[in-house]
Amino acid sequence: MLTRVKGGRVIDPANGRDGIADIWLRDGRIVDAPADSRPDETYDAAGKIVTAGAIDIHSHIAGSNVNTARLLLPELHRSTEARRARAPLSNAEWGTFQTGCRYATMGFTTVVEPAVAPNYALHAHLELADIPIIDKATLSVLGNDDYLLSLMRSGASASLVRDYVAWTLATSRALGIKVINAGGAAAFKCNVRQFSFDDVVPFYGVSSRAIVKTLQRAVHELGVPHPLHVHCNNLGLAGNAETALETIAAAEGLPLHLAHLQFYGYGKEGERGFSSAAARLAEAVNGAKSVTVDVGQVMFGQTVTISSDVLRQFNARAQASPKKWVIFDGDANGGGIVPYNYRSTDFYNAVQWCVGLELFLLIDDPARVFFTTDHPNGAPFTTYPEIFALLMDRDLRAQWIATLPPAAVAMTTLASIKREYSLNEIVTMTRAAPARLLGLRDRGHLGVGAVADIAVYANEADRAKMFRAASLVFKDGELVVRDGEVTRYRWGRALTVAPGHDRAIERRMQDYYSDRYGLSADVMTVPATAIGRPEPFEAVPCAR
Ligand SMILES: [Zn+2]
């Protein structure tokens, strides 16, 4: 079937386009305008904005931590309370089905779950497969695991580390590798309660820096498109901008992605010893061309923090609101679930809100600063439309700033920033750039041959309203949303990489799991047959 999306303003920065045009699609792909054939169907996009489907690189939507949050907060399940349109505690309240629908209605078509423990990968993929409409991918977490730290302690070769990383990617069906508080979660098992970039993990004798560098190099040398995804040490602490600056400097010209930088944007200035260091961080990011970041914007309201940074979550448990939490130790990272209420009247929360927006606005290149709330840690992903509006309108920002404690605002530069994002920059940040960062060459743009993932929006002055409910969304060429309502359910795929490894690592892993657990290493493998649908995975090519 040949479909024409007619006469909209096509914003496609990856192909240098911004102007009125038609987009043609056939068999799930974007095609050239045919010379003579008539479309089987036409959608009028006159006066509307036509973009590629949006891509979220970091949103916790599935897996063991998300489910522990649901278990912790049964009072918010849909069966016990009428579901509200804009609900807090999103992960607790929403099932997988709502996750897919809510993303799709905002025009998002691909979402990355960024923290899957390799031993829970099967569960994460089963749950992701239950999320309709959108495509998904996972990042597998390494860096506090006994096997890697033991390899490093024994001075294993770079090729052996590469094989282990490649084996993990293949068995867990991941798109990339993440490290969360490198070494800190392993040190936590020895009762360490604070862990910085040059601290050394007891028993293994390796520093956080060495773990990050080892994994960064392995991921790069394997040709995995997405660089090592780093959740730094010291999340949330006053003065932790130093940790982020050290980590940025440690990139040393090789690709490195820093997650939710807002949570590392804090200095120690002022009466309360808590201030924004966003300007310094933005300057460092602007100067480190191989480094990308996402923001992890905070928005006010109730949420639940979900993290495999078990050390940080353990330290944060006293702030739980409501007063209950789960901290679990286990292989490698463990995890922690701490409900939290960000309040606009709270000095610290107000500074956090400002820091996120400062980072967005002070980092020059919209292709190196990515749009996230670290869902649900900073805010549920349903707040994205409000954040787009804040980035695009300094008067709107001023209205919000006027409601915050002046002492908090004074510890930031936000009130002085005049920049407003253009629609083109928003599209770059949410489409073109994330596709490139993840190595998805046929996504994030509307060029011929691209996957026909398309979002069409009414060009409203109220940008939040515009982005909340897309006029039309196509997934693989099928219309799935009309006027902000899901019109068709379908099942997406999970995107993976498999850079290849020496088969000897398979024997090593069999021996390791047999010796350590009395299990076969096959327990780590996610078989395609487990999903129960044809072709549930799609391989993304590696550079090697
Ligand atoms: Zn996260």
Side-chain angles (χ1 to χ4, degrees):
M1 185 161 75
L2 183 64
T3 302
R4 178 191 200 181
V5 179
K6 186 182 167 200
R9 176 181 163 196
V10 173
I11 303 183
D12 184 16
N15 294 303
R17 283 198 293 180
D18 185 349
I20 306 298
D22 291 353
I23 297 291
W24 294 79
L25 34 149
R26 192 197 315 255
D27 301 333
R29 297 269 163 177
I30 310 265
V31 294
D32 266 325
D36 46 7
S37 59
R38 291 174 163 275
D40 299 300
E41 55 182 7
T42 296
Y43 294 91
D44 183 12
K48 297 188 172 171
I49 305 292
V50 180
T51 70
I55 300 170
D56 191 339
I57 67 160
H58 190 121
S59 176
H60 300 275
I61 55 171
S64 54
N65 283 352
V66 173
N67 281 280
T68 306
R70 291 184 176 119
L71 290 169
L72 179 67
L73 299 156
E75 67 272 30
L76 288 154
H77 289 193
R78 59 186 286 204
S79 58
T80 54
E81 185 179 1
R83 196 185 313 155
R84 288 150 292 164
R86 311 273 316 288
L89 290 170
S90 53
N91 270 6
E93 186 168 19
W94 301 340
T96 48
F97 202 78
Q98 282 294 318
T99 298
C101 295
R102 286 169 189 250
Y103 262 117
T105 53
M106 297 193 304
F108 279 75
T109 48
T110 305
V111 178
V112 178
E113 157 54 61
V116 173
N119 52 319
Y120 291 138
L122 176 58
H123 165 226
H125 275 293
L126 288 170
E127 194 178 343
L128 288 170
D130 208 34
I131 295 177
I133 305 175
I134 59 175
D135 288 336
K136 287 81 55 167
T138 64
L139 303 182
S140 281
V141 179
L142 292 178
N144 286 292
D145 52 304
D146 170 67
Y147 196 80
L148 179 75
L149 300 187
S150 298
L151 284 181
M152 291 177 65
R153 178 178 55 193
S154 65
S157 67
S159 71
L160 186 48
V161 172
R162 279 200 303 274
D163 283 337
Y164 173 57
V165 170
W167 177 85
T168 302
L169 286 165
T171 53
S172 62
R173 304 262 189 184
L175 187 63
I177 296 289
K178 183 184 189 193
V179 60
I180 299 174
N181 195 349
F188 181 75
K189 300 176 200 304
C190 301
N191 294 320
V192 171
R193 295 294 178 260
Q194 179 154 12
F195 195 78
S196 293
F197 200 49
D198 285 307
D199 288 342
V200 170
V201 187
F203 183 61
Y204 296 102
V206 297
S207 68
S208 191
R209 179 189 297 271
I211 297 167
V212 169
K213 293 300 295 177
T214 298
L215 285 172
Q216 178 198 29
R217 184 176 162 197
V219 169
H220 179 68
E221 289 176 352
L222 285 167
V224 175
H226 187 47
L228 178 66
H229 196 105
V230 182
H231 165 130
C232 297
N233 320 106
N234 293 327
L235 185 142
L237 302 182
N240 67 0
E242 300 306 325
T243 304
L245 290 167
E246 284 175 332
T247 311
I248 291 168
E252 295 172 325
L254 283 185
L256 196 69
H257 181 84
L258 268 59
H260 39 70
L261 193 63
Q262 179 278 127
F263 287 109
Y264 304 94
Y266 315 138
K268 287 179 165 176
E269 311 285 309
E271 272 178 27
R272 303 195 193 211
F274 190 76
S275 58
S276 168
R280 283 170 62 214
L281 281 186
E283 193 182 335
V285 172
N286 286 336
K289 302 295 183 204
S290 70
V291 171
T292 51
V293 304
D294 65 85
V295 168
Q297 176 68 35
V298 156
M299 292 290 269
F300 303 116
Q302 177 73 53
T303 192
V304 52
T305 68
I306 289 177
S307 180
S308 302
D309 187 345
V310 64
L311 187 159
R312 143 76 196 178
Q313 293 296 74
F314 179 80
N315 289 339
R317 69 198 187 286
Q319 275 111 55
S321 174
K323 288 234 164 283
K324 52 182 174 178
W325 41 268
V326 175
I327 305 293
F328 60 96
D329 205 354
D331 281 354
N333 273 83
I337 314 301
V338 181
Y340 191 75
N341 189 2
Y342 291 102
R343 291 175 295 124
S344 63
T345 52
D346 179 85
F347 172 88
Y348 299 95
N349 295 162
V351 170
Q352 290 183 296
W353 182 84
C354 293
V355 167
L357 292 175
E358 285 179 282
L359 289 171
F360 275 121
L361 295 163
L362 294 174
I363 295 175
D364 300 330
D365 183 356
R368 288 204 294 126
V369 55
F370 291 84
F371 189 91
T372 65
T373 59
D374 191 19
H375 165 85
N377 290 313
F381 67 77
T382 45
T383 59
Y384 290 1
E386 277 73 31
I387 306 171
F388 291 135
L390 286 164
L391 295 177
M392 296 183 76
D393 185 346
R394 62 172 173 255
D395 294 335
L396 183 63
R397 290 201 296 271
Q399 289 168 29
W400 281 58
I401 289 168
T403 67
L404 303 178
V409 177
M411 300 317 298
T412 82
T413 67
L414 185 62
S416 69
I417 301 175
K418 304 256 185 302
R419 181 176 171 193
E420 294 180 330
Y421 267 72
S422 66
L423 269 177
N424 202 296
E425 287 177 317
I426 295 284
V427 172
T428 298
M429 181 167 58
T430 54
R431 274 84 170 166
R436 197 163 64 208
L437 183 73
L438 299 171
L440 312 178
R441 290 173 205 161
D442 56 2
R443 289 167 196 246
H445 70 93
L446 296 171
V448 170
V451 173
D453 291 356
I454 303 170
V456 178
Y457 299 96
N459 191 9
E460 308 232 22
D462 181 345
R463 297 304 191 188
K465 185 174 171 216
M466 162 178 164
F467 284 114
R468 198 173 295 130
S471 298
L472 301 170
V473 179
F474 297 86
K475 179 76 194 82
D476 290 322
E478 274 188 277
L479 186 71
V480 290
V481 169
R482 189 193 272 275
D483 298 329
E485 300 287 336
V486 173
T487 55
R488 180 174 171 78
Y489 299 101
R490 59 188 304 287
W491 300 106
R493 304 176 292 282
L495 308 170
T496 64
V497 290
H501 52 260
D502 188 311
R503 297 291 300 272
I505 191 69
E506 295 169 18
R507 170 50 50 199
R508 283 175 173 270
M509 299 317 296
Q510 288 294 358
D511 291 347
Y512 177 76
Y513 279 93
S514 172
D515 289 352
R516 189 61 60 100
Y517 302 101
L519 291 171
S520 163
D522 297 341
V523 298
M524 304 296 286
T525 301
V526 180
T529 49
I531 307 298
R533 277 189 218 116
E535 299 184 39
F537 298 108
E538 177 183 327
V540 172
C542 289
R544 201 172 74 141

